[in-house]
């Protein structure tokens, strides 16, 4: 975790940042809830972000105990013991920032470039239609985007209302009955989406 | 976990199966070791396999305690409590099979189709050159493949010696010094690779 959210990863392409949202997200009944931080989510999203040149990786949670937990995880890997154990992990964790609300991640991104980023949301439900190639081309042409990933059963409507773009759901081959089973973990979905946007 | 490794997911395309290998893999010193089973690896690989129409998802470990652990994880989600909690998870877990060696996964796949599958290995190191489009086209044309994913610091040489194809490493944009940082988790790498092979 660094004190600045700027990064050299944005010098040639548009700036791409991501946020893992723990509130407001839906539970399985469709109600708005706050999910718990998951250690491996932090590691996986940091590693995927570092691999695909994301400038910042925000963890969004309003709960103080979870904020402390996030700082403890990131701090360990950036500290002496973590760095000597796995120096690559410190490099990934250095892009992680903890914020209490989605709006704070947007404000931090806006402060870096002086302009509000494109707010991009993702969903496993068929509510998005924007193809990945569209966003990839805009990023390659210099656009600045913040991609929001929802934990639990997905981002709440209030987050969708902030969106400039809603990406199409990730799907594989249809089942024999023509339906799609696409209950990926948020760790897996985020990795796939970053690969689609920035993979070579 | 089902008693058969056959699946209706293979009726039109070639059969694609995957294996998560816990032995023989490398540790950070380059020595051959056995890694511990990770609960979220099982869930994530099962979910990614189900999303992308893999016929079988093998967990490879020779350690009895880990075999028992794998059966306990899968059994819970296929049982009454797991199914009532999350019916989708049972559908993903039904493709998981525990085997003690890579050769056993190959034998099971060979028994289904009557022919040894293409053995495909993946590595984060620059030892593979086969593009994903090559394997995707062969699968679309009816090829049968088993893709092996290594835990720890990657698959041991003895597994690479079994390979018919070595896929190119997953990379994003290069760092400013021209190098690539690509230390993805095996969960993330497997999800990305399945999306490249079967995503729509």
């Amino acid at each position: 975790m660094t004190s600045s959210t700027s990064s050299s990863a944005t010098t040639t392409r548009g700036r791409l940042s991501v946020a893992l949202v723990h509130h407001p997200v839906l539970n399985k009944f469709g109600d708005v809830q706050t999910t718990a931080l998951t250690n491996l989510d932090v590691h996986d999203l940091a590693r995927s972000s570092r691999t695909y040149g994301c400038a910042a990786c925000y963890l969004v949670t309003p709960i103080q105990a979870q904020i402390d937990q996030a700082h403890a995880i990131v701090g360990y890997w950036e500290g002496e013991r973590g760095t000597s154990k796995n120096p690559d992990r410190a490099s990934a964790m250095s892009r992680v920032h903890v914020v209490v609300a989605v709006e704070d991640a947007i404000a931090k991104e806006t402060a870096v470039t002086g302009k509000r980023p494109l707010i991009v949301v993702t969903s496993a439900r068929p509510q998005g239609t924007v193809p990945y190639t569209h966003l990839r081309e805009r990023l390659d042409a210099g656009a600045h985007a913040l991609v929001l990933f929802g934990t639990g059963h997905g981002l709440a409507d209030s987050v969708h209302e902030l969106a400039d773009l809603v990406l199409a759901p990730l799907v594989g081959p249809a089942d024999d009955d023509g339906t799609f089973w696409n209950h990926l973990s948020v760790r897996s979905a985020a990795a796939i989406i970053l690969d689609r946007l920035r993979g070579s």
Side-chain angles (χ1 to χ4, degrees), chain A residues 3 14 17 24 26 30 84 88 101 114 120 122 124 135 139-140 152 166 176 198:
Chain A
S3 55
S17 292
L26 303 176
S84 64
D88 290 318
V120 180
T122 59
L135 180 55
L139 285 166
D140 286 348
V166 185
D176 290 344
R198 280 274 176 89

Side-chain angles (χ1 to χ4, degrees), chain A residues 172-188:
Chain A
D175 285 349
D176 290 344
D177 64 2
T179 62
F180 294 95
W181 191 104
N182 66 338
H183 304 284
L184 293 165
S185 73
V186 70
R187 298 172 291 279
S188 299

Side-chain angles (χ1 to χ4, degrees), chain A residues 61-179:
Chain A
T61 175
I63 299 179
Q64 190 58 48
Q66 307 269 311
I67 293 168
D68 295 344
Q69 187 192 348
H71 282 123
I73 293 168
V74 174
Y76 174 81
W77 291 102
E78 289 194 324
E80 198 178 330
R81 287 180 64 186
T83 304
S84 64
K85 204 167 167 181
N86 188 341
D88 290 318
R89 198 59 54 90
S91 171
M93 290 293 188
S94 70
R95 304 193 180 196
V96 175
H97 308 273
V98 187
V99 293
V100 300
V102 169
E103 288 76 4
D104 290 343
I106 296 171
K108 280 181 181 284
E109 286 296 301
T110 304
V112 173
T113 64
K115 214 180 134 189
R116 183 182 164 92
L118 273 176
I119 308 300
V120 180
V121 300
T122 59
S123 175
R125 292 185 298 276
Q127 53 194 319
T129 54
V130 174
Y132 292 83
T133 48
H134 169 84
L135 180 55
R136 185 175 179 120
E137 284 162 12
R138 289 182 72 169
L139 285 166
D140 286 348
H144 171 202
L146 174 64
V147 181
L148 307 175
F149 300 110
T151 57
H153 285 250
L155 295 163
D157 288 350
S158 60
V159 181
H160 275 268
E161 284 163 13
L162 299 171
D164 301 301
L165 297 178
V166 185
L167 292 169
L170 296 171
V171 292
D175 285 349
D176 290 344
D177 64 2
T179 62

Side-chain angles (χ1 to χ4, degrees), chain A residues 11-84:
Chain A
T11 47
T12 51
R13 288 180 187 76
R15 178 183 172 96
L16 173 61
S17 292
V18 297
L20 185 66
V21 180
H22 298 83
H23 179 89
V25 294
L26 303 176
N27 65 16
K28 65 176 167 179
F29 306 109
D31 301 321
V32 175
Q33 66 166 2
T34 304
T35 54
L37 196 83
T38 300
N39 178 43
L40 283 187
D41 283 355
V42 179
H43 283 263
D44 283 12
L45 199 66
R47 295 163 77 178
S48 296
S49 294
R50 178 69 181 85
T51 296
Y52 291 104
C54 297
C57 170
Y58 298 96
L59 303 176
V60 182
T61 175
I63 299 179
Q64 190 58 48
Q66 307 269 311
I67 293 168
D68 295 344
Q69 187 192 348
H71 282 123
I73 293 168
V74 174
Y76 174 81
W77 291 102
E78 289 194 324
E80 198 178 330
R81 287 180 64 186
T83 304
S84 64

